[in-house]
Amino acid sequence: MVRTNHLDSELDKKYMKRALVLARKALAADEVPIGALVVDEKGVVVGRGYNQVMRHCTQRAHAEVTALAQAGKKRGDWRLNGCVLYVTLQPCAMCMALAYLSRVSRVVYGAESPLFGFHLDNDDALRVYKKDVQIVSGVMSDESVALLKQFFKKKRKKGEPTKSSS
């Protein structure tokens, strides 16, 4: 795993803006606002997803899982070599492992997730996949954090539990 902090290339910002649109869909559906895109080597968006954990009552409804599954279907192959996963929040261990298994080349995310994010400083668990994946963190993190704060502030104001974590 090759970790690069906050490169914020214009191309990464372009796709992260689109992932943020998906995160807003999750927010509108009263889900934790997380959006994800899979972009192929030609710059074509081949997978999209937003958090739907509460709606479907399963952790398999994470934004990344949906986006990666859609990309595999569209490409007709589960191997997503050359693709980039963009996600508004640091992926959890499940989603990071799925990205590795899917053979994406890069994972680009916005906000850090200190409670549920896969902590990239200890990537020994993923060494079994023997593939370097470039990790870029902090792309448009302020926008991602603002959506998350909006969601949790609303939940606290209503006195609702925040059972969903991703």
Side-chain angles (χ1 to χ4, degrees), residues 64-96:
E64 303 94 322
V65 174
T66 303
L68 289 163
Q70 192 178 89
K73 274 190 170 182
K74 186 165 188 171
R75 289 173 58 117
D77 192 348
W78 60 269
R79 294 172 199 87
L80 301 175
N81 295 320
C83 290
V84 180
L85 172 64
Y86 289 90
V87 60
T88 57
L89 183 67
Q90 180 184 26
C92 68
M94 173 184 73
C95 292
M96 188 60 80

Side-chain angles (χ1 to χ4, degrees), residues 6-157:
H6 201 56
L7 285 180
D8 255 13
S9 77
E10 288 306 312
L11 197 57
D12 286 346
K13 285 181 185 179
K14 171 186 169 182
Y15 292 114
M16 190 60 74
K17 284 178 186 175
R18 293 175 75 177
L20 284 161
V21 169
L22 293 166
R24 287 185 195 95
K25 283 182 92 165
L27 181 66
D30 204 30
E31 295 271 1
V32 178
I34 302 167
L37 290 176
V38 177
V39 179
D40 73 11
E41 57 279 349
K42 295 176 185 164
V44 176
V45 176
V46 293
R48 293 172 181 79
Y50 62 91
N51 207 36
Q52 297 183 61
V53 170
M54 298 302 285
R55 176 180 178 202
H56 296 295
C57 299
T58 179
Q59 300 83 348
R60 291 186 340 206
H62 282 200
E64 303 94 322
V65 174
T66 303
L68 289 163
Q70 192 178 89
K73 274 190 170 182
K74 186 165 188 171
R75 289 173 58 117
D77 192 348
W78 60 269
R79 294 172 199 87
L80 301 175
N81 295 320
C83 290
V84 180
L85 172 64
Y86 289 90
V87 60
T88 57
L89 183 67
Q90 180 184 26
C92 68
M94 173 184 73
C95 292
M96 188 60 80
L98 185 59
Y100 264 74
L101 285 168
S102 299
R103 300 184 180 157
V104 299
S105 298
R106 296 173 70 222
V107 174
V108 179
Y109 68 88
E112 296 284 336
S113 180
L115 293 177
F116 299 104
F118 180 70
H119 299 286
L120 301 168
D121 56 343
N122 185 7
D123 62 335
D124 287 339
L126 297 177
R127 291 205 189 278
V128 68
Y129 302 121
K130 296 180 182 171
K131 181 179 187 300
D132 279 335
V133 174
Q134 183 185 28
I135 308 297
V136 179
S137 62
V139 176
M140 298 188 70
S141 63
D142 291 345
E143 293 85 344
S144 296
V145 168
L147 283 176
L148 291 161
K149 284 183 178 180
Q150 180 182 349
F151 173 80
F152 288 108
K153 182 178 180 181
K154 179 178 147 189
K155 289 291 183 186
R156 284 190 297 274
K157 188 175 183 180

